Amino acid sequence: MLSTALLKSSSRTLGATLLVGGLLLSEAATAQITTPAASPKSTVTQRVGLTDVTITYSRPSAKGRAVFGTLVPFGKRWRTGANQTTTIKFSDDVTLEGKKVPAGEYGLYTIPNKTEWLVVLNKSTKQGADVDGFKDDQDVVRFSAKTYKLGAKAETFTMGFSDMTPATANVDMQWELTGAKFKLSTDVDPKVMAQIDEKVVKNANASANDMAAAAVYYYDNDKDLKQALTWIQKANEKDPKFWNVHTEAKIKLKLKDYKGATASAEQSRKLALDAKNADYVKMNEDLIALAKKGK
């Protein structure tokens, strides 16, 4: 009796093992082999001013083929990459080549030609680039982007940002020996001024850091220099850092207070020496030389 029970138990165990093994072999047989994508997906994000800009696209390679005018025909809509539609997303309203575009995510299409590309932003991020299926009534903006010749071959299609300023950048598209770019502008000043109004102008207990930041912004953007001087002096009374005292010297120099600029630069130089910051030592020495010329 015992032997029979053991045989039945062993048989059931063996059957279960074979079933599990068979299932695993079946799954292994049907699993797809994973290989590198021919046109890998890429996402590039850049803060321009105070706005985050994100481009998501797939990157085809030339692989010895002639690209523009052949692989990518002239005069026809292109998804600006491979696979899915290329998208561009803005966290705030922006201006592209002088045209306003609301915050949001858009499909980015181009129609390449020899000397310029037509860039199209469309509300749909999923439709293809084919003429028959494309919905022109969903276009948000169209504008031209001038082409230029690259100094070195770009084997893989690349999108990115160049020529950065505090409020602008160029969106750059490069492949083979051709580049095309368009200007992106953001509205920085109203946002910064609103912060200054809240944190400095209307705040009797403004921090030294906020007052210094407001003064630097006023100096860099040619705003009220006397107000900037008041803020930076208050900041330096609270906490005199060598870089902030140097800002005070620069503002005084711009106001043609040469004696005051020299005094502040000498103070900043001493603080920079104590901090062993050679760059600011040199910057203050240069400023003192300029102040002496103005007398």
Side-chain angles (χ1 to χ4, degrees), residues 242-244 246-247 249-250 253 261 265-266 268-269 272 277-291:
F242 62 81
W243 57 87
N244 286 337
H246 181 73
T247 296
K250 289 196 300 182
L253 182 65
E266 286 174 345
S268 176
R269 181 180 179 279
N277 189 302
D279 289 339
Y280 266 86
V281 170
K282 177 67 165 57
M283 289 163 63
N284 280 297
E285 289 172 349
D286 291 344
L287 194 149
I288 291 168
L290 285 174

Side-chain angles (χ1 to χ4, degrees), residues 62-95:
K63 298 179 180 178
R65 300 171 293 182
V67 176
F68 294 107
T70 304
L71 180 63
V72 178
F74 288 136
K76 291 188 176 181
R77 186 181 289 106
W78 181 40
R79 70 189 68 191
T80 320
N83 305 329
Q84 293 82 16
T85 297
T86 292
T87 62
I88 187 166
K89 184 177 182 180
F90 311 108
S91 63
D92 298 296
D93 296 354
V94 298
T95 301

Side-chain angles (χ1 to χ4, degrees), residues 4 20 23 32 34-35 66 81 86-87 90 101 107 110 160-161 169 174 179 189 195 198 200 213 256-257 288:
T4 303
V20 171
L23 289 171
Q32 293 184 343
T34 302
T35 60
T86 292
T87 62
F90 311 108
V101 177
T110 50
F161 300 86
Q174 300 180 351
D189 191 65
Q195 292 180 69
E198 177 188 353
V200 179
K256 298 183 179 180
D257 177 7
I288 291 168

